Amino acid sequence: MKRTILILSFLLLMFSCKTENKKPDQPTKMQEVIAIHDEVMPKMTDISKLVAQLKPMADSTEAGLKYMRAMKDLQAAHRSMMDWMQGFGSRFDSDEILNGKELSEEKRAWLLEEEQKVIQLREDINGSIERAEALLKQD
């Protein structure tokens, strides 16, 4: 147990030292996370349009099931974005997000978690869009 705490403390210390030595022109970890969000947020409109295109073809027949799955995949990606934003907003305040306010050690660890979540979110959103577009092109 003490060994685990020692290792975690060392890793946190290394992370905090790395952030302090960052060049001023390099984005902070917060800016990197927000940039990923900003990259995929406009795709929520694409998701809505694709859902609208798939909806008339989606039903419980064998032919309609592939459209239903694609539609549900898109809706799940959209819901994931909304959930991520809500969770992110509950962990960080606007000064931390927008103004670069210094993060506590706990919040720096949370930010690393959020980075992994938003990377996965980007993959889910882009993947669901690509699959839906490919399905629609088949017709």
Side-chain angles (χ1 to χ4, degrees), residues 86-113:
Q86 184 177 13
F88 189 82
S90 70
R91 283 183 145 182
F92 302 98
D93 64 42
S94 60
D95 278 341
E96 293 165 335
I97 296 169
L98 302 172
N99 300 325
K101 179 181 166 188
E102 184 68 29
L103 300 178
S104 68
E105 286 185 39
E106 179 182 40
K107 287 192 174 190
R108 284 194 298 267
W110 287 353
L111 187 57
L112 294 176
E113 291 174 15

mmCIF file of all heavy atoms in Angstrom, residues 86-113:
data_model
loop_
_atom_site.group_PDB
_atom_site.id
_atom_site.type_symbol
_atom_site.label_atom_id
_atom_site.label_comp_id
_atom_site.label_asym_id
_atom_site.label_seq_id
_atom_site.Cartn_x
_atom_site.Cartn_y
_atom_site.Cartn_z
ATOM 1 N N GLN A 86 -21.408 17.243 -19.676
ATOM 2 C CA GLN A 86 -21.977 17.441 -18.339
ATOM 3 C C GLN A 86 -20.990 17.012 -17.260
ATOM 4 O O GLN A 86 -20.776 17.727 -16.283
ATOM 5 C CB GLN A 86 -23.284 16.668 -18.202
ATOM 6 C CG GLN A 86 -23.974 16.895 -16.882
ATOM 7 C CD GLN A 86 -25.305 16.165 -16.795
ATOM 8 O OE1 GLN A 86 -25.623 15.313 -17.600
ATOM 9 N NE2 GLN A 86 -26.079 16.490 -15.781
ATOM 10 N N GLY A 87 -20.376 15.854 -17.439
ATOM 11 C CA GLY A 87 -19.403 15.372 -16.458
ATOM 12 C C GLY A 87 -18.185 16.271 -16.375
ATOM 13 O O GLY A 87 -17.685 16.567 -15.278
ATOM 14 N N PHE A 88 -17.692 16.715 -17.507
ATOM 15 C CA PHE A 88 -16.528 17.602 -17.551
ATOM 16 C C PHE A 88 -16.846 18.912 -16.837
ATOM 17 O O PHE A 88 -16.050 19.400 -16.040
ATOM 18 C CB PHE A 88 -16.122 17.853 -19.007
ATOM 19 C CG PHE A 88 -14.821 18.565 -19.152
ATOM 20 C CD1 PHE A 88 -13.626 17.875 -19.081
ATOM 21 C CD2 PHE A 88 -14.776 19.932 -19.381
ATOM 22 C CE1 PHE A 88 -12.400 18.526 -19.225
ATOM 23 C CE2 PHE A 88 -13.565 20.600 -19.529
ATOM 24 C CZ PHE A 88 -12.381 19.895 -19.445
ATOM 25 N N GLY A 89 -18.025 19.452 -17.123
ATOM 26 C CA GLY A 89 -18.433 20.709 -16.499
ATOM 27 C C GLY A 89 -18.636 20.613 -14.999
ATOM 28 O O GLY A 89 -18.497 21.603 -14.287
ATOM 29 N N SER A 90 -18.938 19.419 -14.522
ATOM 30 C CA SER A 90 -19.102 19.257 -13.080
ATOM 31 C C SER A 90 -17.761 19.093 -12.361
ATOM 32 O O SER A 90 -17.673 19.300 -11.158
ATOM 33 C CB SER A 90 -20.020 18.062 -12.766
ATOM 34 O OG SER A 90 -19.372 16.847 -13.084
ATOM 35 N N ARG A 91 -16.719 18.756 -13.106
ATOM 36 C CA ARG A 91 -15.396 18.569 -12.508
ATOM 37 C C ARG A 91 -14.542 19.849 -12.531
ATOM 38 O O ARG A 91 -13.659 20.009 -11.691
ATOM 39 C CB ARG A 91 -14.633 17.474 -13.243
ATOM 40 C CG ARG A 91 -15.078 16.084 -12.883
ATOM 41 C CD ARG A 91 -14.227 15.052 -13.582
ATOM 42 N NE ARG A 91 -14.051 13.896 -12.715
ATOM 43 C CZ ARG A 91 -13.324 12.844 -13.019
ATOM 44 N NH1 ARG A 91 -12.685 12.791 -14.176
ATOM 45 N NH2 ARG A 91 -13.201 11.840 -12.185
ATOM 46 N N PHE A 92 -14.782 20.712 -13.504
ATOM 47 C CA PHE A 92 -13.942 21.900 -13.677
ATOM 48 C C PHE A 92 -14.816 23.143 -13.777
ATOM 49 O O PHE A 92 -15.886 23.104 -14.372
ATOM 50 C CB PHE A 92 -13.089 21.769 -14.958
ATOM 51 C CG PHE A 92 -12.222 20.545 -14.959
ATOM 52 C CD1 PHE A 92 -12.633 19.398 -15.618
ATOM 53 C CD2 PHE A 92 -11.015 20.526 -14.285
ATOM 54 C CE1 PHE A 92 -11.850 18.257 -15.608
ATOM 55 C CE2 PHE A 92 -10.223 19.381 -14.262
ATOM 56 C CZ PHE A 92 -10.640 18.238 -14.934
ATOM 57 N N ASP A 93 -14.321 24.244 -13.207
ATOM 58 C CA ASP A 93 -15.091 25.487 -13.310
ATOM 59 C C ASP A 93 -14.641 26.283 -14.531
ATOM 60 O O ASP A 93 -13.659 25.939 -15.191
ATOM 61 C CB ASP A 93 -14.994 26.315 -12.014
ATOM 62 C CG ASP A 93 -13.585 26.813 -11.704
ATOM 63 O OD1 ASP A 93 -12.883 27.256 -12.634
ATOM 64 O OD2 ASP A 93 -13.192 26.771 -10.520
ATOM 65 N N SER A 94 -15.366 27.335 -14.835
ATOM 66 C CA SER A 94 -15.103 28.091 -16.069
ATOM 67 C C SER A 94 -13.719 28.737 -16.061
ATOM 68 O O SER A 94 -13.090 28.835 -17.119
ATOM 69 C CB SER A 94 -16.188 29.137 -16.304
ATOM 70 O OG SER A 94 -16.231 30.054 -15.228
ATOM 71 N N ASP A 95 -13.230 29.163 -14.921
ATOM 72 C CA ASP A 95 -11.882 29.749 -14.866
ATOM 73 C C ASP A 95 -10.815 28.705 -15.205
ATOM 74 O O ASP A 95 -9.819 29.018 -15.858
ATOM 75 C CB ASP A 95 -11.583 30.340 -13.485
ATOM 76 C CG ASP A 95 -12.162 31.727 -13.299
ATOM 77 O OD1 ASP A 95 -12.475 32.379 -14.319
ATOM 78 O OD2 ASP A 95 -12.278 32.170 -12.144
ATOM 79 N N GLU A 96 -11.025 27.491 -14.763
ATOM 80 C CA GLU A 96 -10.068 26.423 -15.082
ATOM 81 C C GLU A 96 -10.116 26.074 -16.569
ATOM 82 O O GLU A 96 -9.087 25.843 -17.195
ATOM 83 C CB GLU A 96 -10.371 25.183 -14.237
ATOM 84 C CG GLU A 96 -10.119 25.387 -12.758
ATOM 85 C CD GLU A 96 -10.742 24.326 -11.880
ATOM 86 O OE1 GLU A 96 -11.733 23.687 -12.289
ATOM 87 O OE2 GLU A 96 -10.220 24.135 -10.759
ATOM 88 N N ILE A 97 -11.326 26.044 -17.110
ATOM 89 C CA ILE A 97 -11.498 25.657 -18.511
ATOM 90 C C ILE A 97 -11.067 26.768 -19.458
ATOM 91 O O ILE A 97 -10.325 26.529 -20.411
ATOM 92 C CB ILE A 97 -12.968 25.261 -18.787
ATOM 93 C CG1 ILE A 97 -13.347 24.017 -17.963
ATOM 94 C CG2 ILE A 97 -13.194 25.010 -20.274
ATOM 95 C CD1 ILE A 97 -14.828 23.701 -17.958
ATOM 96 N N LEU A 98 -11.512 27.970 -19.203
ATOM 97 C CA LEU A 98 -11.325 29.068 -20.154
ATOM 98 C C LEU A 98 -10.131 29.970 -19.874
ATOM 99 O O LEU A 98 -9.573 30.554 -20.803
ATOM 100 C CB LEU A 98 -12.594 29.921 -20.209
ATOM 101 C CG LEU A 98 -13.873 29.194 -20.603
ATOM 102 C CD1 LEU A 98 -15.077 30.099 -20.434
ATOM 103 C CD2 LEU A 98 -13.768 28.662 -22.018
ATOM 104 N N ASN A 99 -9.765 30.102 -18.609
ATOM 105 C CA ASN A 99 -8.750 31.096 -18.253
ATOM 106 C C ASN A 99 -7.435 30.510 -17.756
ATOM 107 O O ASN A 99 -6.567 31.251 -17.310
ATOM 108 C CB ASN A 99 -9.314 32.065 -17.208
ATOM 109 C CG ASN A 99 -10.525 32.800 -17.725
ATOM 110 O OD1 ASN A 99 -10.609 33.119 -18.913
ATOM 111 N ND2 ASN A 99 -11.482 33.075 -16.856
ATOM 112 N N GLY A 100 -7.306 29.199 -17.770
ATOM 113 C CA GLY A 100 -6.040 28.584 -17.372
ATOM 114 C C GLY A 100 -5.757 28.616 -15.891
ATOM 115 O O GLY A 100 -4.592 28.540 -15.482
ATOM 116 N N LYS A 101 -6.798 28.730 -15.074
ATOM 117 C CA LYS A 101 -6.606 28.707 -13.626
ATOM 118 C C LYS A 101 -5.878 27.424 -13.235
ATOM 119 O O LYS A 101 -6.167 26.342 -13.749
ATOM 120 C CB LYS A 101 -7.972 28.785 -12.925
ATOM 121 C CG LYS A 101 -7.915 28.748 -11.420
ATOM 122 C CD LYS A 101 -9.317 28.797 -10.831
ATOM 123 C CE LYS A 101 -9.332 28.433 -9.378
ATOM 124 N NZ LYS A 101 -10.712 28.310 -8.880
ATOM 125 N N GLU A 102 -4.929 27.546 -12.324
ATOM 126 C CA GLU A 102 -4.125 26.409 -11.860
ATOM 127 C C GLU A 102 -5.023 25.306 -11.302
ATOM 128 O O GLU A 102 -5.966 25.577 -10.555
ATOM 129 C CB GLU A 102 -3.145 26.880 -10.776
ATOM 130 C CG GLU A 102 -2.190 25.813 -10.292
ATOM 131 C CD GLU A 102 -1.174 25.387 -11.344
ATOM 132 O OE1 GLU A 102 -0.831 26.209 -12.209
ATOM 133 O OE2 GLU A 102 -0.736 24.233 -11.290
ATOM 134 N N LEU A 103 -4.713 24.076 -11.673
ATOM 135 C CA LEU A 103 -5.484 22.921 -11.211
ATOM 136 C C LEU A 103 -4.813 22.280 -10.000
ATOM 137 O O LEU A 103 -3.581 22.241 -9.926
ATOM 138 C CB LEU A 103 -5.594 21.876 -12.324
ATOM 139 C CG LEU A 103 -6.264 22.292 -13.621
ATOM 140 C CD1 LEU A 103 -6.226 21.139 -14.618
ATOM 141 C CD2 LEU A 103 -7.697 22.738 -13.378
ATOM 142 N N SER A 104 -5.625 21.774 -9.109
ATOM 143 C CA SER A 104 -5.097 20.998 -7.983
ATOM 144 C C SER A 104 -4.551 19.674 -8.507
ATOM 145 O O SER A 104 -4.807 19.289 -9.654
ATOM 146 C CB SER A 104 -6.215 20.735 -6.966
ATOM 147 O OG SER A 104 -7.183 19.853 -7.535
ATOM 148 N N GLU A 105 -3.819 18.962 -7.690
ATOM 149 C CA GLU A 105 -3.293 17.653 -8.095
ATOM 150 C C GLU A 105 -4.428 16.718 -8.485
ATOM 151 O O GLU A 105 -4.338 15.990 -9.471
ATOM 152 C CB GLU A 105 -2.466 17.039 -6.971
ATOM 153 C CG GLU A 105 -1.116 17.685 -6.796
ATOM 154 C CD GLU A 105 -0.271 16.971 -5.757
ATOM 155 O OE1 GLU A 105 -0.299 15.734 -5.701
ATOM 156 O OE2 GLU A 105 0.424 17.680 -5.015
ATOM 157 N N GLU A 106 -5.494 16.730 -7.703
ATOM 158 C CA GLU A 106 -6.647 15.872 -7.987
ATOM 159 C C GLU A 106 -7.246 16.218 -9.355
ATOM 160 O O GLU A 106 -7.542 15.336 -10.162
ATOM 161 C CB GLU A 106 -7.697 16.029 -6.896
ATOM 162 C CG GLU A 106 -8.938 15.196 -7.140
ATOM 163 C CD GLU A 106 -10.004 15.386 -6.064
ATOM 164 O OE1 GLU A 106 -10.214 16.541 -5.606
ATOM 165 O OE2 GLU A 106 -10.631 14.378 -5.701
ATOM 166 N N LYS A 107 -7.376 17.504 -9.623
ATOM 167 C CA LYS A 107 -7.968 17.920 -10.892
ATOM 168 C C LYS A 107 -7.039 17.653 -12.074
ATOM 169 O O LYS A 107 -7.506 17.371 -13.172
ATOM 170 C CB LYS A 107 -8.396 19.385 -10.838
ATOM 171 C CG LYS A 107 -9.644 19.584 -9.979
ATOM 172 C CD LYS A 107 -10.231 20.944 -10.164
ATOM 173 C CE LYS A 107 -11.550 21.038 -9.402
ATOM 174 N NZ LYS A 107 -12.279 22.258 -9.747
ATOM 175 N N ARG A 108 -5.731 17.699 -11.860
ATOM 176 C CA ARG A 108 -4.809 17.326 -12.939
ATOM 177 C C ARG A 108 -4.987 15.851 -13.290
ATOM 178 O O ARG A 108 -4.956 15.478 -14.462
ATOM 179 C CB ARG A 108 -3.363 17.635 -12.553
ATOM 180 C CG ARG A 108 -3.036 19.122 -12.639
ATOM 181 C CD ARG A 108 -1.544 19.385 -12.579
ATOM 182 N NE ARG A 108 -0.903 18.960 -11.354
ATOM 183 C CZ ARG A 108 -0.699 19.720 -10.291
ATOM 184 N NH1 ARG A 108 -1.082 20.986 -10.302
ATOM 185 N NH2 ARG A 108 -0.100 19.244 -9.224
ATOM 186 N N ALA A 109 -5.185 15.027 -12.277
ATOM 187 C CA ALA A 109 -5.441 13.602 -12.524
ATOM 188 C C ALA A 109 -6.774 13.421 -13.243
ATOM 189 O O ALA A 109 -6.883 12.616 -14.180
ATOM 190 C CB ALA A 109 -5.423 12.823 -11.202
ATOM 191 N N TRP A 110 -7.790 14.175 -12.833
ATOM 192 C CA TRP A 110 -9.100 14.111 -13.502
ATOM 193 C C TRP A 110 -8.965 14.516 -14.970
ATOM 194 O O TRP A 110 -9.598 13.928 -15.838
ATOM 195 C CB TRP A 110 -10.088 15.047 -12.838
ATOM 196 C CG TRP A 110 -10.600 14.615 -11.499
ATOM 197 C CD1 TRP A 110 -10.385 13.421 -10.862
ATOM 198 C CD2 TRP A 110 -11.421 15.383 -10.629
ATOM 199 N NE1 TRP A 110 -11.014 13.415 -9.657
ATOM 200 C CE2 TRP A 110 -11.661 14.607 -9.480
ATOM 201 C CE3 TRP A 110 -11.968 16.662 -10.705
ATOM 202 C CZ2 TRP A 110 -12.436 15.056 -8.426
ATOM 203 C CZ3 TRP A 110 -12.738 17.110 -9.649
ATOM 204 C CH2 TRP A 110 -12.976 16.312 -8.520
ATOM 205 N N LEU A 111 -8.155 15.528 -15.237
ATOM 206 C CA LEU A 111 -7.996 16.013 -16.603
ATOM 207 C C LEU A 111 -7.411 14.930 -17.509
ATOM 208 O O LEU A 111 -7.816 14.787 -18.659
ATOM 209 C CB LEU A 111 -7.126 17.273 -16.625
ATOM 210 C CG LEU A 111 -7.003 17.988 -17.962
ATOM 211 C CD1 LEU A 111 -8.378 18.382 -18.511
ATOM 212 C CD2 LEU A 111 -6.111 19.215 -17.821
ATOM 213 N N LEU A 112 -6.486 14.153 -16.969
ATOM 214 C CA LEU A 112 -5.933 13.040 -17.742
ATOM 215 C C LEU A 112 -7.014 11.998 -18.040
ATOM 216 O O LEU A 112 -7.060 11.432 -19.136
ATOM 217 C CB LEU A 112 -4.754 12.412 -17.006
ATOM 218 C CG LEU A 112 -3.526 13.307 -16.844
ATOM 219 C CD1 LEU A 112 -2.463 12.606 -16.000
ATOM 220 C CD2 LEU A 112 -2.964 13.727 -18.190
ATOM 221 N N GLU A 113 -7.887 11.755 -17.064
ATOM 222 C CA GLU A 113 -9.016 10.841 -17.284
ATOM 223 C C GLU A 113 -9.937 11.397 -18.372
ATOM 224 O O GLU A 113 -10.377 10.659 -19.258
ATOM 225 C CB GLU A 113 -9.833 10.667 -16.000
ATOM 226 C CG GLU A 113 -9.153 9.908 -14.899
ATOM 227 C CD GLU A 113 -9.968 9.917 -13.612
ATOM 228 O OE1 GLU A 113 -11.178 10.272 -13.643
ATOM 229 O OE2 GLU A 113 -9.396 9.578 -12.567
#
